[in-house]
Amino acid sequence: MKRGFYTIMSAQFFSSLADNALFVGAVQLLRSSGAPEWQQAALVPMFALFYVVLAPFVGAFADALPKGKVMFISNAIKVVGCVLMLFGGHPLMAYAIVGLGAAAYSPAKYGILTELLPSSQLVKANGWIEGLTIASIILG
């Protein structure tokens, strides 16, 4: 495997870990502020909303720019969501913004593998991405 593959795997792991750690933080913020229960339950759908709404567009976005740039932009959007929550923004809105970044990031993380690796290694690489994502969810 090429060196860039390990960089992408690290980025995927830490990006997903941050998403899940932010979820835990958002739940705690909602609990400590006395927010209604429905808001805690709404966190995951708010995150996933952009996956559904933007599904027709994020692939084209990822194909229009270099994959590394798409991943950078997507993670920058996620940072905006984190900073919003850090400075008192509502956790639902902040986590929705993080979901926007995650939705844009998703096709780029798979597309970049085709640029880095020969087709004979893509199944193994996809397995690594999925495995690291599961590990980050458990650790997050």
Side-chain angles (χ1 to χ4, degrees), residues 28-48:
Q28 185 56 39
L29 277 173
L30 289 171
R31 282 184 184 161
S32 66
S33 70
E37 283 288 318
W38 70 264
Q39 289 185 3
Q40 291 176 43
L43 278 171
V44 171
M46 287 299 288
F47 183 85

Side-chain angles (χ1 to χ4, degrees), residues 1 4-17 20 51 67 71 105-117 121-137:
M1 300 270 186
F5 170 76
Y6 298 107
T7 303
I8 296 304
M9 292 301 101
S10 297
Q12 168 56 25
F13 176 79
F14 289 112
S15 177
S16 181
L17 182 67
N20 290 289
Y51 277 95
K67 305 299 179 274
M71 294 170 83
Y105 183 90
S106 194
K109 74 180 175 189
Y110 292 106
I112 201 165
L113 294 178
T114 63
E115 295 176 1
L116 292 173
L117 303 171
Q121 293 181 324
L122 290 179
V123 172
K124 184 178 180 180
N126 282 329
W128 271 103
I129 281 186
E130 295 306 323
L132 288 172
T133 300
I134 297 301
S136 69
I137 289 168

